[in-house]
Amino acid sequence: QGILKEYDPEQRSRPAIINFLAQGQCFTIGRNNQRHYLKAIQPSTVNQWNRDALNGLHQRYPELKNSYDALCAIYDYTIARRAVFLELPPRQRLPAFREPHRPIIAYLKKKDIANYLNLSYSYLLHIWNDS
């Protein structure tokens, strides 16, 4: 529960926000993103699934593997969505961002949204009410 933001500090002087995680959203920490870190936007509870326990469940209930893979795919989609936003012209990024993040946008700082969308804070403020 709660809302988290995910950072990637890789080769950056200031870590980039690469994802916002809403309540109930699944995320994975794999070999490729061990340097990512999370910061709570609201008081949050994170439930950890032990890898060995998951493997045991997969062996006993093979159908659960499909559910787990689907949860991982949703997380991968949210990470990839940022790249789509960044390909848009700067003026179109905020409207595109607002739709999928509508449930949590009131809890996000505008400076964090600017970081996520790779926009200057002053430009984000300029377009905030236009979109």
Side-chain angles (χ1 to χ4, degrees):
Q1 66 187 41
I3 301 172
L4 303 169
K5 55 186 167 181
E6 183 176 5
Y7 288 89
D8 180 9
E10 189 69 31
Q11 299 177 355
R12 294 178 174 94
S13 58
R14 181 176 154 207
I17 298 172
I18 59 168
N19 200 10
F20 294 102
L21 299 154
Q23 183 165 319
Q25 189 173 349
C26 185
F27 62 93
T28 59
I29 304 295
R31 291 182 190 148
N32 297 331
N33 61 353
Q34 289 179 357
R35 290 184 41 85
H36 293 193
Y37 64 93
L38 303 169
K39 187 172 183 181
I41 293 173
Q42 293 183 312
S44 300
T45 301
V46 176
N47 296 309
Q48 178 182 355
W49 293 348
N50 177 286
R51 188 70 161 165
D52 293 334
L54 277 176
N55 288 336
L57 284 172
H58 293 164
Q59 289 174 355
R60 288 181 27 216
Y61 307 101
E63 65 276 11
L64 291 179
K65 177 88 169 88
N66 294 333
S67 298
Y68 177 76
D69 289 345
L71 290 172
C72 291
I74 291 168
Y75 170 76
D76 291 343
Y77 173 78
T78 64
I79 291 291
R81 186 169 49 198
R82 180 174 186 250
V84 173
F85 293 151
L86 297 180
E87 291 174 1
L88 295 171
R91 196 167 222 7
Q92 294 176 11
R93 292 178 194 171
L94 182 59
F97 171 83
R98 278 188 164 151
E99 188 55 38
H101 294 90
R102 192 166 305 285
I104 64 170
I105 205 162
Y107 301 99
L108 306 179
K109 293 180 181 176
K110 289 178 184 164
K111 70 174 186 151
D112 289 342
I113 296 170
N115 177 314
Y116 178 80
L117 295 174
N118 197 28
L119 299 171
S120 73
Y121 179 67
S122 59
Y123 183 72
L124 180 87
L125 292 179
H126 174 73
I127 65 170
W128 186 260
N129 292 323
D130 294 342
S131 56

